[in-house]
Amino acid sequence: MYFMFLSGLLKFHVTLCRQLTIVMNLKTSFPVLFFVLLSGTLLYGQGEDKLFSITVFDGNTGNPLENANVYIQECNCGGITDRNGNYSRSLPTGQYRITVSYTGYESTDLEVDLTADVSLETQLLQRVEQLSEVFLSAKQKNENVELPQMGVLRLQSQDLIKVPSGLGEYDVLRSMTLLPGVNNAGEVSNGLSIRGGSLDQNLILYDHAPIYNPTHLFGLFSVFTPDVLSNIDLYRANIPARYGGRTASVLDVGVKKPYVDKFKLSGGVGLVSSRLAIETPLIKDKLNLMVGTRASFTDFLLPIFSKRLKDTKAKFYDTTLKLLWLPNPDDQIFLTGFFSKDIYELELISQIENINSDKNRYDFMALNGTLNWLHTFNEKASLRSILVSSNYVPKNILPITGSSDEIEYRSKINYLSFISEYANKPKSTLDYYLGLQAKKYLVGQGTLDPGGSNSVLPVALHDENSYELSAYSNVNWQLAPPVTLSLGLRFNHYVFGGPYTFSTYDDQGNIVSAEEFEKGSKVIDYNNLEPRVGANIKLGERTSVKLSYAQVNQYLQNVYNSTTPLPTSRWKSSDRYIKPQQSQSYGLGFFHNSADNSVELGVEGYYRDSQNDLTYKPGADFFLEEFLEQKVVQGKGKAYGVEFSLKKTGGKVNGWLNYTWARSFVRTYNENLADRINNNDWFPSDFDRPHIFNGTVNFESNPYNKWSLNFTAQTGRPYTTANGFVVVDDIEVPVYLERNNSRLPVYHRLDFSWRISYNQKKNKRWKNHWVFTIYNLYARKNPFNIYYQQRTSNENAEIFSNSPLGAYELSVLNSPLFAITYNFVFQ
């Protein structure tokens, strides 16, 4: 019934969008009325300005180029083309020099005499030689000044190869951690913390499909491969209204659109993994294919990097496929498939009662599919319909010591989503979109299969069913030449359904009563309105001040007690006890460009107030816990900070420096003394790092050699130390009264990368280059964690004195990591 309703809703939405387009073609006042409904007023005219419009095409295929750069020299302004290759802007009458460029294509220069409205078309041809990539090159030269959105960071796929990375891999998430306001979860880990938020508060999308564990090999690599990527957008402040469901940020990773007219083969061979990507037309001008894959078998390398990894076995692989069908000039249909698999085995780090095993074997699987249909009504209006399916299955397998039996713990998340979004740009100073989104979650809380073991009983927790229906709208409006607004609104209707057992408890946690809900029945629902506001006030062509506000709700959360995601962590839907997380964020920023927009300065301040943050109670063991609400607690959170960034995007020496001062705290309000965390006082969150500095310098002295150095330093991560000891049965047991009351030592590291390209012939079909990297150049032993062991002798008495426990640092990397990769392209 739910999806029958959605089907009818879609038909109504398509009909409505067609009617809106007809109205637009009749030149009625609908855009004005629409904006009046959203903001209350629309009082702006164009004066004597003339309209400049341009459409950019691929010179080889004839297809429109989305995100092509259009730069207008006289005003130091410009923008990017939309999905139909169109860009327009109102300008005063006069002579203008226009530069049109696109990554991987030759740029073109145009001269325009704007005495009346002008509409142009131009074609760009692909470059034969490899581009000179500039890390973090903006999509337009002054994008950081022009955009009304604040807290937006964007990467192109070519930007990734300039970042020195562990084990020679180009990595999306590791690149993001070098940007202001973005932090990782520890050494060689790809868990992201955005502005002090927790790992599950980031919405990570891969061609519209959610990614629940974005890492390979226990967090060493991300699941994304640069061979198939087009763009990476990170929203940290004014999150656009089309996104919802996470309170801290959105990381939107796009896959290339296979606009190709000939066969292309690319890939790389490295010590850790090897890659291969193919792009080819299947039916000329109708059906194109792109597929990329990566595989790794690293068992023999791990002991070289660390003695602690001598008994570790690991392998992973992932594949991304994308089809493009062009049935007619007005329709584009994309089908994206993604499969990811991780299998690794290591010494026991998480134990289950009554199971005799000395190893953990982890098995992650993700299978996603996205069907995306774009219909264009005209050069300004379009309708996009997206159907998404996502399946995530993490497993923890425990081989029984001295036996062939295995015990398997498995959980899952099945996700379905439908999106329908209408977009229009009636004039150069006004564009908007409005849409509907429906989601269905099935969260498998966990099952334990004892295999052939007689000492362990099987366990099967109830699956959770929830639904979310959202309507959203967003308007970008240039109120006056110096002022641009971005106004968004999102409404969510969330329903948690049966089967479900609602239990009530007494003060000791004993069940007093239980109410059963059948499958398909409603347990509870939540309705939330989420305003999003952004404002850009230009103080000149190269300077602007921005303000932002965003309210977001989160209905799915992850419960864990490790900074690196494990299969034993629990995903939990919001229900009667566990309420949706809520966040309100405020931002203020100053941005200035100089040296023909090649030097960018930015200062951003933010404050985020959150409700219903989820964490575990003291001593809680939530593994296979049927009544999870008894093991967790919700509280308040606050995060604030200031981010300074300086970036040079041009010249033979380029790069950036950034410094962040930030704090992140959590507080609970439990009445029960035993359940209180830090006695209900504020305490640092797991991702509270007050000082973070990152610096990257790229040297491009000639077309053949490019060197990069990256240095990072940051305050150590918080961890918990014992406040004292009590004696129980002649054993001294530590007592923990405070959480995160100490810190690891300062983290710092220097990385080096050298790219070598010696075949620069313009018409050569086979092109190749080598990448040599050194991660942790000066062999810094950064502690990943500090653990405690019971002391049974006077060893290290000069350090521990009479303490019954000894504290020891665990460092994952004790030496530099050398890696070399051979990359190639054939076309």
Side-chain angles (χ1 to χ4, degrees):
M1 294 295 294
Y2 185 76
F3 281 96
M4 291 177 60
F5 166 72
L6 295 181
S7 176
L9 193 62
L10 171 61
K11 293 178 181 178
F12 169 76
H13 187 53
V14 172
T15 304
L16 175 62
C17 291
R18 292 185 181 277
Q19 296 300 320
L20 293 179
T21 304
I22 294 173
V23 173
M24 291 300 303
N25 290 336
L26 293 175
K27 297 184 179 180
T28 69
S29 59
F30 168 76
V32 175
L33 295 175
F34 173 80
F35 191 76
V36 167
L37 291 175
L38 185 65
S39 65
T41 182
L42 178 59
L43 300 171
Y44 178 62
Q46 288 299 307
E48 299 299 323
D49 289 353
K50 306 301 179 184
L51 182 64
F52 165 71
S53 303
I54 189 169
T55 304
V56 184
F57 296 95
D58 185 316
N60 297 320
T61 66
N63 294 314
L65 286 178
E66 182 181 1
N67 294 330
N69 302 321
V70 179
Y71 177 62
I72 305 170
Q73 297 183 28
E74 279 67 24
C75 65
N76 280 320
C77 60
I80 58 175
T81 56
D82 60 19
R83 59 174 63 99
N84 301 312
N86 299 318
Y87 171 77
S88 60
R89 186 184 183 99
S90 294
L91 296 166
T93 302
Q95 300 283 335
Y96 292 93
R97 291 169 294 173
I98 314 293
T99 299
V100 183
S101 60
Y102 189 77
T103 302
Y105 290 71
E106 298 283 357
S107 62
T108 185
D109 295 320
L110 305 171
E111 293 189 1
V112 177
D113 185 8
L114 199 62
T115 56
D117 292 348
V118 171
S119 180
L120 301 175
E121 293 184 355
T122 189
Q123 295 183 342
L124 300 183
L125 298 176
Q126 287 188 348
R127 288 184 178 179
V128 178
E129 70 275 11
Q130 179 68 34
L131 290 178
S132 171
E133 299 88 3
V134 177
F135 185 76
L136 286 179
S137 58
K139 286 187 177 180
Q140 66 182 73
K141 284 190 175 182
N142 58 343
E143 180 184 57
N144 63 318
V145 173
E146 293 277 345
L147 282 180
Q149 284 81 16
M150 183 178 165
V152 181
L153 297 174
R154 287 177 170 171
L155 290 174
Q156 298 293 322
S157 59
Q158 290 85 358
D159 302 333
L160 300 174
I161 66 177
K162 299 301 294 293
V163 183
S165 182
L167 308 180
E169 281 291 320
Y170 311 146
D171 194 273
V172 171
L173 299 187
R174 183 152 300 281
S175 301
M176 302 306 292
T177 61
L178 303 178
L179 305 179
V182 185
N183 204 351
N184 61 10
E187 181 69 87
V188 198
S189 173
N190 277 325
L192 286 183
S193 171
I194 310 297
R195 290 183 168 177
S198 61
L199 303 181
D200 66 319
Q201 292 177 341
N202 308 308
L203 177 62
I204 301 179
L205 300 174
Y206 191 42
D207 241 26
H208 305 283
I211 300 295
Y212 299 100
N213 178 20
T215 63
H216 279 313
L217 199 59
F218 212 27
L220 291 174
F221 306 105
S222 67
V223 297
F224 312 109
T225 301
D227 297 278
V228 300
L229 301 185
S230 61
N231 60 279
I232 302 97
D233 296 338
L234 176 67
Y235 300 94
R236 303 167 300 164
N238 180 25
I239 298 175
R242 60 165 56 98
Y243 301 108
R246 297 294 189 275
T247 58
S249 73
V250 175
L251 179 63
D252 193 351
V253 181
V255 177
K256 290 179 182 177
K257 299 175 182 177
Y259 292 125
V260 292
D261 63 346
K262 59 183 179 180
F263 178 82
K264 180 181 178 181
L265 177 71
S266 62
V269 179
L271 291 175
V272 178
S273 69
S274 297
R275 316 179 318 273
L276 188 67
I278 296 173
E279 299 175 62
T280 184
L282 300 178
I283 302 176
K284 184 175 175 59
D285 299 329
K286 286 293 183 181
L287 184 64
N288 297 336
L289 168 69
M290 181 192 67
V291 59
T293 188
R294 175 175 58 167
S296 173
F297 303 92
T298 57
D299 298 0
F300 71 98
L301 283 174
L302 296 174
I304 300 175
F305 300 139
S306 176
K307 293 181 180 179
R308 293 183 177 272
L309 302 178
K310 64 180 180 178
D311 295 324
T312 299
K313 298 178 181 180
K315 58 183 177 181
F316 66 83
Y317 47 93
D318 55 70
T319 299
T320 301
L321 177 147
K322 190 163 189 173
L323 283 168
L324 166 62
W325 181 34
L326 301 170
N328 57 63
D330 296 329
D331 292 282
Q332 301 177 53
I333 299 176
F334 302 92
L335 176 63
T336 304
F338 171 69
F339 177 76
S340 176
K341 183 78 168 180
D342 276 79
I343 302 174
Y344 48 95
E345 186 176 279
L346 64 163
E347 293 180 0
L348 188 68
I349 61 173
S350 60
Q351 191 170 15
I352 300 176
E353 188 177 358
N354 297 326
I355 296 179
N356 183 22
S357 177
D358 58 1
K359 292 182 179 180
N360 281 114
R361 186 184 307 151
Y362 293 103
D363 186 322
F364 293 91
M365 189 279 291
L367 179 63
N368 292 350
T370 302
L371 182 62
N372 187 343
W373 171 30
L374 173 65
H375 176 75
T376 303
F377 298 103
N378 52 53
E379 64 178 11
K380 297 179 180 180
S382 63
L383 174 67
R384 185 182 295 272
S385 300
I386 305 169
L387 181 64
V388 176
S389 174
S390 174
N391 295 281
Y392 171 60
V393 180
K395 294 188 289 186
N396 184 8
I397 302 170
L398 298 162
I400 300 299
T401 303
S403 171
S404 60
D405 292 335
E406 294 180 340
I407 296 175
E408 178 184 286
Y409 166 73
R410 171 199 294 256
S411 60
K412 65 181 179 181
I413 300 178
N414 294 341
Y415 169 91
L416 285 174
S417 171
F418 175 77
I419 303 171
S420 183
E421 180 179 297
Y422 175 80
N424 203 338
K425 187 173 183 178
K427 50 186 176 181
S428 62
T429 58
L430 178 67
D431 65 83
Y432 64 89
Y433 61 79
L434 63 158
L436 299 171
Q437 181 175 15
K439 303 177 187 176
K440 179 183 184 297
Y441 284 100
L442 189 154
V443 180
Q445 290 291 292
T447 60
L448 186 68
D449 182 0
S453 175
N454 296 321
S455 62
V456 179
L457 296 176
V459 178
L461 302 180
H462 281 304
D463 293 342
E464 294 184 341
N465 294 279
S466 59
Y467 307 87
E468 185 181 341
L469 181 62
S470 304
Y472 60 87
S473 177
N474 199 93
V475 173
N476 293 320
W477 177 37
Q478 187 178 11
L479 181 63
V483 180
T484 304
L485 299 177
S486 176
L487 304 175
L489 191 63
R490 184 182 181 93
F491 173 76
N492 302 320
H493 174 62
Y494 170 85
V495 178
F496 180 75
Y500 176 73
T501 301
F502 176 69
S503 302
T504 57
Y505 309 92
D506 59 22
D507 294 339
Q508 285 72 42
N510 301 311
I511 297 178
V512 175
S513 64
E515 181 182 359
E516 297 290 338
F517 290 85
E518 297 180 353
K519 184 177 180 179
S521 61
K522 183 182 76 171
V523 178
I524 193 172
D525 63 353
Y526 294 96
N527 297 297
N528 301 104
L529 200 61
E530 301 177 349
R532 321 280 176 86
V533 179
N536 183 349
I537 305 171
K538 295 188 66 176
L539 306 181
E541 290 297 336
R542 301 181 182 180
T543 306
S544 67
V545 174
K546 298 183 183 181
L547 302 94
S548 70
Y549 169 78
Q551 183 172 323
V552 190
N553 293 269
Q554 179 169 331
Y555 305 97
L556 182 68
Q557 37 265 316
N558 192 219
V559 187
Y560 54 89
N561 52 14
S562 170
T563 54
T564 300
L566 292 172
T568 51
S569 63
R570 290 276 297 270
W571 286 94
K572 182 70 181 73
S573 307
S574 295
D575 56 24
R576 284 193 174 184
Y577 279 110
I578 299 177
K579 302 183 184 304
Q581 297 184 48
Q582 298 180 337
S583 171
Q584 297 188 75
S585 60
Y586 310 82
L588 175 65
F590 172 83
F591 305 88
H592 175 73
N593 292 354
S594 60
D596 194 22
N597 290 307
S598 65
V599 177
E600 302 175 4
L601 170 67
V603 181
E604 294 189 43
Y606 67 90
Y607 179 86
R608 185 163 68 94
D609 179 73
S610 56
Q611 306 287 335
N612 302 327
D613 285 10
L614 194 65
T615 187
Y616 58 93
K617 292 182 180 180
D621 180 8
F622 47 81
F623 180 71
L624 288 175
E625 172 59 48
E626 182 179 2
F627 304 103
L628 185 63
E629 62 269 15
Q630 288 284 77
K631 302 296 183 179
V632 298
V633 61
Q634 291 188 287
K636 294 186 62 175
K638 61 180 180 181
Y640 50 87
V642 181
E643 301 163 355
F644 302 87
S645 63
L646 179 65
K647 180 165 51 179
K648 183 177 184 292
T649 60
K652 293 183 177 180
V653 179
N654 54 75
W656 83 97
L657 301 172
N658 63 65
Y659 167 76
T660 301
W661 174 82
R663 300 307 308 267
S664 175
F665 297 96
V666 180
R667 183 179 186 178
T668 60
Y669 295 91
N670 275 25
E671 295 182 3
N672 189 346
L673 181 62
D675 293 337
R676 293 182 183 179
I677 301 176
N678 209 55
N679 199 31
N680 286 344
D681 293 328
W682 290 102
F683 64 93
S685 75
D686 292 337
F687 303 98
D688 176 56
R689 295 195 173 184
H691 304 283
I692 302 174
F693 173 82
N694 290 306
T696 293
V697 180
N698 303 314
F699 302 92
E700 303 183 20
S701 59
N702 57 60
Y704 310 106
N705 297 281
K706 297 164 188 172
W707 297 273
S708 297
L709 286 171
N710 173 75
F711 177 76
T712 182
Q714 52 191 272
T715 307
R717 178 174 56 84
Y719 75 101
T720 302
T721 59
N723 296 97
F725 304 91
V726 295
V727 179
V728 179
D729 295 332
D730 296 326
I731 298 176
E732 292 182 315
V733 179
V735 176
Y736 299 92
L737 300 177
E738 299 174 305
R739 183 172 294 183
N740 290 343
N741 55 354
S742 189
R743 289 187 180 274
L744 297 176
V746 172
Y747 178 100
H748 55 89
R749 190 190 75 241
L750 178 67
D751 307 325
F752 169 77
S753 175
W754 178 19
R755 175 174 170 156
I756 309 165
S757 305
Y758 277 101
N759 59 334
Q760 297 292 327
K761 295 182 180 179
K762 289 188 175 183
N763 297 317
K764 192 172 182 179
R765 299 186 66 187
W766 182 274
K767 296 176 289 182
N768 60 82
H769 66 269
W770 293 84
V771 176
F772 173 69
T773 63
I774 305 177
Y775 183 87
N776 194 21
L777 184 62
Y778 53 78
R780 164 69 175 174
K781 296 181 180 179
N782 287 300
F784 175 75
N785 202 356
I786 292 181
Y787 64 96
Y788 295 88
Q789 284 186 348
Q790 192 83 26
R791 296 180 64 218
T792 57
S793 66
N794 290 325
E795 185 179 1
N796 298 321
E798 69 279 6
I799 299 175
F800 301 122
S801 186
N802 295 323
S803 172
L805 293 180
Y808 301 89
E809 289 185 356
L810 171 62
S811 297
V812 178
L813 297 178
N814 301 320
S815 61
L817 299 185
F818 298 87
I820 188 168
T821 305
Y822 174 75
N823 300 283
F824 60 88
V825 176
F826 174 78
Q827 61 182 357

